[in-house]
């Protein structure tokens, strides 16, 4: 199998959508906009079939990531996420993943610190891994 992201052979992850033949390496998944869901049924989805946040929100002008304080852009994208409860707490996907790895299952919450638990379900669907540690 050839990776649809890097073009090299040895791609072992295949999109879980029925009929899709996209394969990729696990390390290439994020670079290619693919989503791997680290919950049962442990699916991987290519950029065409990946889930999108159901929240109908768009960042206001000059909205910054609450973790790195850099602009998030003017619309939802693969690289940005919004807290589904706050609807105005925006994050870059990579920084959200880093915070989830640091906090794990027990301590990861919305970066606003308001204890928004709705973000926990959302990050699982969007492929943000939270380790059990």
């Amino acid at each position: 199998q050839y990776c649809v992201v890097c073009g090299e052979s040895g791609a072992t992850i295949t999109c879980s959508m029925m009929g899709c033949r996209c394969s990729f390496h696990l390390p290439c998944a994020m670079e290619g906009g693919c989503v791997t869901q680290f919950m049962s049924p442990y699916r991987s989805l290519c950029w065409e079939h990946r889930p999108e946040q159901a929240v109908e929100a768009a960042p206001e002008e000059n909205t910054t990531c609450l973790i790195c304080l850099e602009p998030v852009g003017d619309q939802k994208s693969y690289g940005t996420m919004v807290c589904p409860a706050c609807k105005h707490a925006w994050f870059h996907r990579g920084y959200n993943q880093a915070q989830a790895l640091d906090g794990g299952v027990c301590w990861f919450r919305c970066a606003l610190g308001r204890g928004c638990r709705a973000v926990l379900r959302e990050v699982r669907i969007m492929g943000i891994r939270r380790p059990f540690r």
Side-chain angles (χ1 to χ4, degrees), residues 30 33-36 50-51 65 77-81 91-99 123 125-128:
M30 186 177 220
C34 305
V35 167
T36 301
R50 71 179 179 223
C65 171
S77 70
Y78 172 75
T80 61
M81 298 179 70
F91 318 97
H92 287 113
R93 180 183 193 85
Y95 290 113
N96 213 5
Q97 177 63 76
Q99 183 186 20
V123 296
I125 293 168
M126 299 305 294
I128 302 295

Side-chain angles (χ1 to χ4, degrees), residues 23 34 44 47 49 54 69 75 80 83-84 88 94-95 100 108 110 127 131:
S23 295
C34 305
S44 291
W47 62 87
H49 300 114
L69 302 178
Q75 62 185 10
T80 61
C83 176
H88 62 270
Y95 290 113
F108 177 76
C110 172

Side-chain angles (χ1 to χ4, degrees), residues 22-64:
C22 288
S23 295
F24 43 90
H25 300 108
L26 187 58
C28 295
M30 186 177 220
E31 179 183 327
C34 305
V35 167
T36 301
Q37 296 175 332
F38 296 96
M39 62 181 186
S40 186
Y42 300 99
R43 303 182 321 156
S44 291
L45 300 155
C46 69
W47 62 87
E48 290 182 18
H49 300 114
R50 71 179 179 223
E52 292 186 13
Q53 282 194 283
V55 173
E56 293 298 323
E60 296 175 8
E61 190 175 335
N62 300 324
T63 299
T64 59

